Amino acid sequence: MWSVDKVVTGGLIWTMNPAQPEAHWMALHQGRVVAVGTRDEEAPQARVVEDVSGQTVLPGFHDAHCHTMWFGLSLGEVDAKAHSNLDALYGALAERARQTPAGGWVLATGYNQEAFGGEYPDIRALDRVLPDHPLFMRHTSGHSCIVNTKALEASGISGAQLSEVDLAGGAIVLDEHGKPTGVLEERAQSVIQQLLLPKSMDDMVQALARASARYSQEGLTSFTETGIAGGWIGHSPREFAAYQLAKQQGVLAQRAQLMVVSDVFHDVEGHPNDPNVLSLDAGIRTGLGDDHLSIGPVKIFLDGSMLAWTGAVSEPFSAGPPDNYGYFQAEEEALRETMLRAAAAGWAVAAHAIGDRAVALALDTFEKALSRFGAPVVPHRIEHGGVVTDQQVVQAARLGVAIVTQPGFMPELGVQMRAAMGPHREGLIHRHRSLLDAGAMATGSSDRPVATGVPLEIIQSMVQRIDAEGVVVGEHERVSVEQALWSYTVGSAQATGSADFKGMLARGMLADYVVLAKDPLATAVEELSAISISGTVVGGQRVFGEHG
Ligand SMILES: [Zn+2]
């Protein structure tokens, strides 16, 4: 009789493998699943037997779009989401200032005006609370931020120069007297962010450790970090090395695929017969790495945000200023060129596209890239697809392009998204069911820390799609619990090019799984998010809970 490292038995196993959806034991050896069986079949001998009686095992959750470094760093900042009125927030900022030497930055995160009756903090109030400390407070969308006068002074921008600052793809928001309100949009944020960057290796490794520990508690075994190394979303040109160090030090429990932002791409010379490409030094590209840490697609921002009405839409936003079609982050031709030249170097491209006009640019460019250069090692992707037409869903399915939507936004951001799009476009917001029906890839993802990243909360949202006013956002886009679980496991694996070794619990797959106290398929939908995680296992090793 052969013997394996471990047999997991006694509970119910939903494998996500269509050939054998339900199992009662699985055998693990050297970090892989080597056999899966039912009650009628005998399990092999094992050195360790993990008893999961009364519990349910699923493949580990896989967040296909999140900002792990940003989330980990934000866990150490003032949390604007923790406060229900502006005075309480001002109080928390003042408290942090008291603990910070004069002149030191006060960092805050998660600001959403909707939690404060639609109001933005008053820069004069911020200046009163923080007379000696510069403030940088991120909007929950990441697409804008709020600063005080100390911060503007530190950036070297004074009132007289405001109109001369080159802010292509961004704006310093001014009041009716031409004075800064403290709100900086899109690329304008960089005037402040460049003062706070790069983060040190120590800060980054600690941030990853904080984020990873949280992920383990929530059943996450894999994630895709959607933008490192530069641009407004990166934290250091050495960000990949910080990930390597975190892995080396054993504080990065999850498997991570990292997207590199297009901002740090440049001409890389080759033989005259080679295509003229944009890439990284040494010609490294998507796919480099191992099953624990790898380089994913290049991340390129085509447009802005739905909440800030800066996405590129084909019909004006239904909220905010009239006749606002949003904007692209650069000239369309330049964006297309960047995508094509990166694809020519073998990169998969992940195009941030919120509005349907940006989605169209992405899909049409992918169509060209695929015909010229063939399919990359992991699929091209559209990040968010905030509003996607029926025809675009079909096009994505045909091209094998993943549209990585976030139905998990509904409870926190659904009301604002409905307002931004208007009733006639409600059914096109962060689609899910249509993607599955069209045979396109559909994933589980959070965009954390923009919104909740807890997989079971998002899975519940995928099924319900209920916003804070109790409205179902896009009834036709609701999915079953099974489809939601499938998206969070197999779907994410497909979109990240890793479906041949993860996403299912089947022979040969990585032994990444989560143990749930209750069976989600036998739980009322409104109680899904309350199911407790009793264990998380990556490569056969327990990273959370008593199991393993
Ligand atoms: Zn994102």
Side-chain angles (χ1 to χ4, degrees), residues 487-501:
S487 300
Y488 239 102
T489 52
V490 180
S492 290
Q494 290 179 342
T496 54
S498 52
D500 54 345
F501 55 91

Side-chain angles (χ1 to χ4, degrees), residues 174-188:
L174 304 177
D175 66 15
E176 66 271 27
H177 309 295
K179 292 224 160 48
T181 61
V183 178
L184 309 182
E185 283 180 359
E186 302 293 345
R187 283 172 187 264

Side-chain angles (χ1 to χ4, degrees), residues 65 67 226 299 384 447:
H65 181 125
H67 301 275
T226 49
K299 171 83 176 280
H384 313 303
D447 204 17

Side-chain angles (χ1 to χ4, degrees), residues 119 206 272 438:
E119 270 187 75
Q206 281 170 28

Side-chain angles (χ1 to χ4, degrees), residues 203-356:
D203 281 352
M204 290 191 285
V205 170
Q206 281 170 28
L208 291 175
R210 282 194 292 262
S212 175
R214 186 71 76 87
Y215 288 6
S216 295
Q217 294 166 14
E218 298 168 352
L220 282 161
T221 57
S222 287
F223 66 87
T224 296
E225 159 87 67
T226 49
I228 62 159
W232 66 267
I233 205 79
H235 298 95
S236 164
R238 302 184 194 170
E239 208 161 348
F240 192 86
Y243 265 93
Q244 287 185 292
L245 189 54
K247 178 191 165 193
Q248 190 184 332
Q249 293 183 356
V251 296
L252 178 65
Q254 285 71 30
R255 303 180 191 278
Q257 183 188 59
L258 314 185
M259 292 183 186
V260 183
V261 296
S262 62
D263 308 57
V264 300
F265 277 51
H266 51 86
D267 290 307
V268 178
E269 283 185 23
H271 186 278
N273 290 354
D274 295 337
N276 170 5
V277 301
L278 279 180
S279 193
L280 298 180
D281 285 326
I284 64 171
R285 62 160 170 86
T286 306
L288 181 70
D290 56 26
D291 58 31
H292 203 118
L293 183 59
S294 65
I295 293 190
V298 54
K299 171 83 176 280
I300 177 165
F301 286 88
L302 301 187
D303 67 349
S305 131
M306 194 184 290
L307 301 190
W309 312 309
T310 51
V313 285
S314 63
E315 233 187 284
F317 280 97
S318 300
D323 297 321
N324 171 20
Y325 290 84
Y327 49 89
F328 284 108
Q329 297 277 302
E331 293 294 325
E332 282 182 65
E333 196 42 49
L335 294 168
R336 195 175 290 123
E337 168 104 357
T338 301
M339 293 168 76
L340 287 173
R341 291 186 63 212
W347 284 85
V349 177
H352 168 109
I354 295 291
D356 53 345

